[in-house]
Amino acid sequence: MLALAPMRSLPLALVGLALAVAAACGKPKMTVAPTPPAPAAAPHSLIPAPISFTATGAAPFTVTPRTRIIVNDREAVGVATFLARLIAAAPSAAISVELIEAGPLPEDAFVLQLRPGAAMAAEGYTLASTATQVVITASHPAGLFYGVQTLRQLLPAAVEHEWLRRKTLSVPAVSITDAPRFAWRGAMLDVARHFFGVEEVTRLLDLMALHKMNRLHLHLADDQGWRIEIDSWPNLTRHGGGTEVGGGPGGFYTKAQFAEIVRYAADRFITIVPEIDMPGHTNAALASYAELNCDGVAPPLFTGIEVGFSTLCAESDATYRFVDDVVREIGAMTPGRYFHIGGDEVKKLTPAQYEHFVKRAEAIVGRYGKTMIGWDEVAALKLDPGSIIQYWRPGAPKGELGQTGNVIFSPANKLYLDMKYTRATAIGLDWAGRIEVRDGYDWDPATMVPGVTEAAILGVEGPLWTETVARRADLDYLVFPRLAGIAEIGWTPQAQRNWESYRLRLAAQAPRWTALGINFYRSPQVPWVE
Ligand code: TNX
């Protein structure tokens, strides 16, 4: 049996010390103390924190040249192979994965067990390590995968880098039970304002997987560029993909490249959520096809960063032929059930025209078997029961945000990854405020919007808009460390997370993130371990 050991915020000794100091100074109560120095150790440095964690005190498990990986089910081989690649001494070295369906389990082994009937959340898992075995158990392969990500964070940072992997790898003796709070733990990358190719996207998918995130929303079209090949409207990429903010060369994904992204994501239990922002944010499409404009005149391409000036013609047949073709082709390329239609910041349509467009788009998305997602402007309309609303405007009129019971939380003042950290941050925007690491972490989606409670919240998503972001180093800097906080908000129950514990665990990520080559922001709020 697992002992439940909820995480504590401040070690008791430290709290005691602070109280003693306050008493000695004659203060009536504990007021704002300076940020305490880093306490010696947190019980673990896992992000997101698991539901329960017990260090058993037994001897650790050590990987040797004879260590094997055992699965009890063919369905677990994919996850086992991921683990094998992680712990092989070099990418070329093999570590065997063996199928043993019944009988005693060998020693000196990682064991991945699928128990399809087990009373466990679909993405939940248990992990138990001793000196002789590390056993991960789940009811679905996704749970095994998350168990492997926990194992990865229990292993030393050396495991992340091929030149370091030769060091001894050991796993502390622990017992963990875990499952996520929310089904939707997402990030969004705007590849329209600045284009990011397959290599950058797959790298982001890797880093998301490390934090048990499971949705990557790709913002595939905006005023500045169209980034996904559509066979029936080839000029979208041929012309509309040819530039970006600032006038750079832009780019787009061929269907084969997009398929590669989808496959790479699926191997990491991440669903790609495609967005074609409509009816506004469409200058790249309008520039590519004159018939999408009400006046029949194609505007020039756009490389600035203003918003709200473009719109598809809400009343023309061409518009809905276009929407139908785009939803059908992209829908066929994405196994996930979602299609994001954008719907934000439309300043050039009347409310009636806006409603007409969104309801027709919603019907088209439904006809292709997908679920519509829209930014929170769509909440002003009466939506179909299954549709999803993505909340982004803090303090805006909320409409009926909770009307379908499916809300993704991306409040710009907490989760927008393109906001600056401080006044001194060289890149990023600040229209929603500046978001230091603590601001982005220390809040609860379930108490933010009156009337929208836990049950109506699908989860959280951190969008990276890329008006000011053109290079990997800049992307890294805005995304890390804040993405880890978003992952924990999405995964860990509210009662089990707090800033004091989080900042220590975050501090401990530095060697791993450095081994992974991440250019993260060294926030002064975090006592980084170097
Ligand atoms: C608002 S968020 C936008 C984007 C911008 C972003 C910049 C949303 C639905 N619309 O078009 O890129 O702000 O922070």
Side-chain angles (χ1 to χ4, degrees):
M1 268 312 288
L2 299 171
L4 288 185
M7 306 235 332
R8 243 184 263 121
S9 55
L10 274 178
L12 286 176
L14 206 76
V15 175
L17 182 69
L19 288 171
V21 170
C25 298
K27 294 204 178 117
K29 59 175 190 274
M30 205 174 124
T31 49
V32 202
T35 304
H44 61 74
S45 54
L46 299 170
I47 295 182
I51 289 181
S52 89
F53 176 97
T54 309
T56 65
F61 177 87
T62 300
V63 180
T64 73
R66 292 167 309 283
T67 302
R68 307 192 268 164
I69 301 176
I70 310 294
V71 297
N72 72 334
D73 189 312
R74 278 176 208 289
E75 293 284 303
V77 171
V79 177
T81 306
F82 184 100
L83 175 61
R85 294 213 181 101
L86 182 72
I87 58 177
S92 54
I95 172 161
S96 68
V97 173
E98 295 158 56
L99 177 68
I100 300 182
E101 281 167 323
L105 294 169
E107 300 202 330
D108 195 1
F110 291 102
V111 180
L112 304 187
Q113 307 189 106
L114 265 183
R115 299 266 178 256
M120 246 188 216
E123 296 179 297
Y125 68 92
T126 60
L127 185 155
S129 48
T130 64
T132 55
Q133 283 173 344
V134 178
V135 182
I136 300 173
T137 307
S139 61
H140 292 77
L144 287 183
F145 185 74
Y146 298 130
V148 166
Q149 299 312 314
T150 295
L151 169 58
R152 182 177 173 187
Q153 292 191 13
L154 291 171
L155 286 159
V159 77
E160 304 294 348
H161 197 287
E162 59 185 89
W163 301 113
L164 299 172
R165 273 188 230 168
R166 289 161 211 285
K167 291 202 179 148
T168 304
L169 298 179
S170 62
V171 182
V174 300
S175 182
I176 292 172
T177 304
D178 204 7
R181 175 183 182 188
F182 291 120
W184 191 288
R185 305 176 301 277
M188 189 209 82
L189 181 62
D190 169 10
V191 293
R193 271 52 177 272
H194 280 101
F195 182 64
F196 290 87
V198 173
E199 212 185 301
E200 304 304 332
V201 174
T202 52
R203 178 169 176 272
L204 180 59
L205 287 164
D206 275 329
L207 299 176
M208 290 172 65
L210 172 61
H211 299 95
K212 304 186 175 75
M213 301 184 86
N214 65 356
R215 303 280 187 266
L216 177 63
H217 166 182
L218 289 174
H219 184 78
L220 291 165
D222 210 301
D223 291 320
Q224 298 84 347
W226 186 284
R227 308 301 181 201
I228 175 93
E229 201 169 45
I230 303 292
D231 293 335
S232 52
W233 298 72
N235 217 34
L236 290 171
T237 44
R238 200 180 295 147
H239 181 65
T243 193
E244 58 190 0
V245 168
F252 63 89
Y253 308 119
T254 63
K255 285 199 161 176
Q257 288 174 324
F258 194 75
E260 190 184 334
I261 291 173
V262 167
R263 202 178 327 110
Y264 198 90
D267 284 348
R268 286 153 185 75
F269 298 87
I270 297 173
T271 301
I272 296 293
V273 179
E275 177 188 357
I276 297 295
D277 203 346
M278 304 180 282
H281 290 274
T282 41
N283 190 75
L286 299 169
S288 306
Y289 286 97
E291 70 248 52
L292 296 176
N293 298 269
C294 274
D295 62 3
V297 179
L301 292 171
F302 176 69
T303 60
I305 65 167
E306 293 79 37
V307 298
F309 61 88
S310 57
T311 183
L312 295 170
C313 191
E315 273 101 22
S316 81
D317 290 345
T319 291
Y320 298 100
R321 247 191 304 117
F322 166 80
V323 175
D324 196 285
D325 287 337
V326 166
V327 172
R328 174 172 43 77
E329 289 199 32
I330 294 179
M333 284 187 265
T334 43
R337 34 181 278 252
Y338 311 105
F339 191 98
H340 200 310
I341 64 139
D344 59 310
E345 297 179 317
V346 181
K347 299 182 187 160
K348 289 291 162 69
L349 296 181
T350 64
Q353 288 172 321
Y354 178 73
E355 173 164 13
H356 178 73
F357 178 88
V358 171
K359 292 303 292 181
R360 279 190 75 166
E362 186 181 52
I364 291 168
V365 169
R367 209 171 315 128
Y368 288 109
K370 303 288 179 176
T371 296
M372 186 190 84
I373 309 176
W375 295 106
D376 64 30
E377 283 89 338
V378 302
L381 313 176
K382 175 94 194 73
L383 299 178
D384 291 351
S387 292
I388 297 171
I389 296 167
Q390 186 162 10
Y391 168 56
W392 70 280
R393 294 174 300 170
K398 304 287 185 317
E400 284 289 330
L401 201 57
Q403 62 173 287
T404 65
N406 297 309
V407 187
I408 299 167
F409 265 61
S410 300
N413 59 340
K414 301 288 184 197
L415 295 193
Y416 266 31
L417 294 166
D418 62 319
M419 292 301 120
K420 291 174 182 289
Y421 292 98
T422 70
R423 212 179 281 282
T425 310
I427 47 168
L429 303 175
D430 60 7
W431 65 264
R434 288 178 283 268
I435 307 178
E436 246 295 2
V437 175
R438 182 170 187 169
D439 305 319
Y441 175 82
D442 209 357
W443 63 284
D444 178 10
T447 56
M448 178 175 250
V449 182
V452 180
T453 50
E454 183 101 6
I457 300 174
L458 274 184
V460 288
E461 183 178 298
L464 181 69
W465 301 98
T466 58
E467 285 94 333
T468 66
V469 187
R471 301 176 307 126
R472 173 193 284 196
D474 291 345
L475 183 152
D476 277 12
Y477 190 79
L478 289 173
V479 170
F480 286 93
R482 289 183 293 202
L483 191 74
I486 297 169
E488 179 149 310
I489 296 171
W491 183 280
T492 307
Q494 184 65 23
Q496 269 161 282
R497 59 184 195 90
N498 68 77
W499 167 248
E500 235 359 274
S501 153
Y502 179 69
R503 80 182 188 101
L504 297 181
R505 289 179 286 116
L506 190 56
Q509 307 307 310
R512 185 174 309 272
W513 289 2
T514 301
L516 286 165
I518 302 175
N519 177 39
F520 60 98
Y521 163 59
R522 262 88 171 163
S523 167
Q525 298 181 330
V526 179
W528 298 104
V529 174
E530 292 294 348

